[in-house]
Amino acid sequence: MEKQPTSFATESLKQKNKENINCKQIEFEWSLNKIIDRTKYSKEKELGQPIILSNNNKTSTRHERIQGDEFPPIRILSNQPISFKNQDEIIEWSVLVNCTHGFIEVGVYLPELDTTYLLKGFKNEAQIENGREQIKTFEFGEKISTGDKITISLQQNNNNNNNNNNNNNKTIKMNIIKNDKPLGTPFNDIPTTSKIYPMIGLNDSGDQVSII
């Protein structure tokens, strides 16, 4: 496992983005129509939904459908994808971890590529997945606990060597902030060839995360 360097050791990224007029705090809800369930009970629809929504679909709570209904974490996506208006725009959103038994995930999902970029809350690790396959896992950040606020900040990279506006050549970097403390940049090259959805993963019954 390799160690990922961070790029915000001294400056508060949150304060910097507050002062940046191009920083956009996006509004969205969680969607039960956008659940990724890879547990052994995923096809047993008669057991009900593995996630319950409340608080105007801002809060997701993991529901144990049957004893042993756990791992891998159930992932739920936002009701709409992220959209950048210009090259300089920074897009942010924050979630509050109301309850976790350890296995919480926070990140983004790209459906056309079936690829997930995520922070693994039960370890100080970040991970890239393609389908069920772990492409890359590396040391990053800190563990996530009950009461933590996690902010995801996305910004398009400046591809100075590219003189056209072809989205196939554009990439996005992800910055992570925990309780107003910048943790760094785990991902620098998220492709824009797919829609990008905010995502969380909930493993144990009672795990709960809210958009704030």
Side-chain angles (χ1 to χ4, degrees):
M1 181 176 68
E2 59 185 276
K3 185 173 182 179
Q4 183 78 359
T6 60
S7 60
F8 297 96
T10 59
E11 183 179 20
S12 169
L13 178 64
K14 181 177 178 63
Q15 182 62 32
K16 178 181 177 181
N17 286 351
K18 275 186 175 180
E19 296 170 355
N20 191 325
I21 60 173
N22 290 314
C23 183
K24 176 184 177 182
Q25 304 288 328
I26 61 170
E27 297 285 338
F28 64 90
E29 303 171 0
W30 301 121
S31 174
L32 290 178
N33 294 321
K34 293 182 170 62
I35 286 180
I36 302 172
D37 182 357
R38 294 188 170 120
T39 69
K40 60 184 178 182
Y41 301 108
S42 61
K43 296 182 179 179
E44 299 185 27
K45 303 302 181 184
E46 69 278 5
L47 296 178
Q49 289 282 8
I51 288 180
I52 297 173
L53 297 183
S54 58
N55 187 28
N56 295 318
N57 297 333
K58 299 288 187 180
T59 298
S60 290
T61 305
R62 180 71 165 91
H63 169 62
E64 187 177 47
R65 295 165 289 189
I66 193 172
Q67 187 175 2
D69 177 24
E70 57 186 33
F71 201 80
I74 303 288
R75 293 171 179 169
I76 186 167
L77 312 181
S78 63
N79 60 329
Q80 58 190 7
I82 294 163
S83 177
F84 285 91
K85 291 183 178 179
N86 58 64
Q87 173 67 40
D88 298 322
E89 186 176 41
I90 298 170
I91 290 180
E92 281 189 357
W93 68 94
S94 299
V95 296
L96 178 65
V97 181
N98 301 312
C99 179
T100 175
H101 296 84
F103 289 86
I104 288 283
E105 301 173 336
V106 183
V108 296
Y109 178 67
L110 285 61
E112 284 82 3
L113 302 177
D114 193 15
T115 300
T116 310
Y117 295 79
L118 62 103
L119 182 65
K120 299 175 71 175
F122 52 98
K123 294 183 179 180
N124 58 325
E125 290 181 355
Q127 185 169 285
I128 305 173
E129 287 184 6
N130 182 258
R132 294 175 180 268
E133 180 181 356
Q134 297 180 13
I135 299 176
K136 184 180 181 182
T137 301
F138 50 89
E139 183 178 342
F140 175 83
E142 302 172 352
K143 293 181 180 179
I144 299 175
S145 303
T146 297
D148 285 340
K149 180 178 74 171
I150 306 298
T151 300
I152 305 290
S153 179
L154 300 182
Q155 185 175 16
Q156 295 187 83
N157 290 310
N158 291 316
N159 297 320
N160 295 325
N161 58 344
N162 179 27
N163 295 321
N164 59 57
N165 293 320
N166 187 354
N167 282 336
N168 292 335
N169 297 316
K170 292 182 179 180
T171 56
I172 292 172
K173 60 184 175 183
M174 177 192 292
N175 303 310
I176 305 290
I177 305 164
K178 176 186 173 186
N179 299 329
D180 298 335
K181 172 188 174 183
L183 298 183
T185 309
F187 309 113
N188 282 294
D189 55 357
I190 299 173
T192 58
T193 52
S194 169
K195 293 178 181 178
I196 300 175
Y197 287 84
M199 177 226 71
I200 55 170
L202 306 174
N203 188 74
D204 296 294
S205 184
D207 284 354
Q208 186 182 88
V209 172
S210 297
I211 303 164
I212 56 175

